[in-house]
Amino acid sequence: MAAENKIKLQYFRSQICTPVKHKLVVKGLGFTRLNQIVEREDTPSIRGMVNKIPHLVRIVD
């Protein structure tokens, strides 16, 4: 049941010249390089992290 609730996230814009808090959110989501796609559980905390940096990360279908 929990395996079904996944979202794919893509890190599509560089974190250069962004605030330190934004850089920490990108690192917390598990991104290590640009254009990387990761799959995370669809929880309110992950959604909140994505909502803090919508200019750096997008949800991929």
Side-chain angles (χ1 to χ4, degrees), residues 4-15:
E4 298 172 0
N5 296 332
K6 298 277 188 175
I7 55 172
K8 287 186 178 182
L9 305 171
Q10 181 183 16
Y11 174 39
F12 73 98
R13 186 163 293 161
S14 177
Q15 63 184 356

Side-chain angles (χ1 to χ4, degrees), residues 8-9 58-61:
K8 287 186 178 182
L9 305 171
R58 71 177 104 187
I59 298 174
V60 180
D61 291 331

Side-chain angles (χ1 to χ4, degrees), residues 12-27:
F12 73 98
R13 186 163 293 161
S14 177
Q15 63 184 356
I16 296 173
C17 293
T18 59
V20 175
K21 288 185 178 185
H22 291 192
K23 293 177 184 180
L24 292 174
V25 171
V26 170
K27 186 177 179 182

Side-chain angles (χ1 to χ4, degrees), residues 2-58:
E4 298 172 0
N5 296 332
K6 298 277 188 175
I7 55 172
K8 287 186 178 182
L9 305 171
Q10 181 183 16
Y11 174 39
F12 73 98
R13 186 163 293 161
S14 177
Q15 63 184 356
I16 296 173
C17 293
T18 59
V20 175
K21 288 185 178 185
H22 291 192
K23 293 177 184 180
L24 292 174
V25 171
V26 170
K27 186 177 179 182
L29 286 170
F31 292 111
T32 56
R33 62 187 183 279
L34 216 53
N35 293 320
Q36 182 180 7
I37 296 176
V38 296
E39 193 170 318
R40 298 286 172 248
E41 289 189 24
D42 191 6
T43 61
S45 61
I46 296 294
R47 289 283 182 165
M49 292 172 81
V50 172
N51 287 337
K52 291 291 182 183
I53 53 168
H55 54 287
L56 302 176
V57 175
R58 71 177 104 187

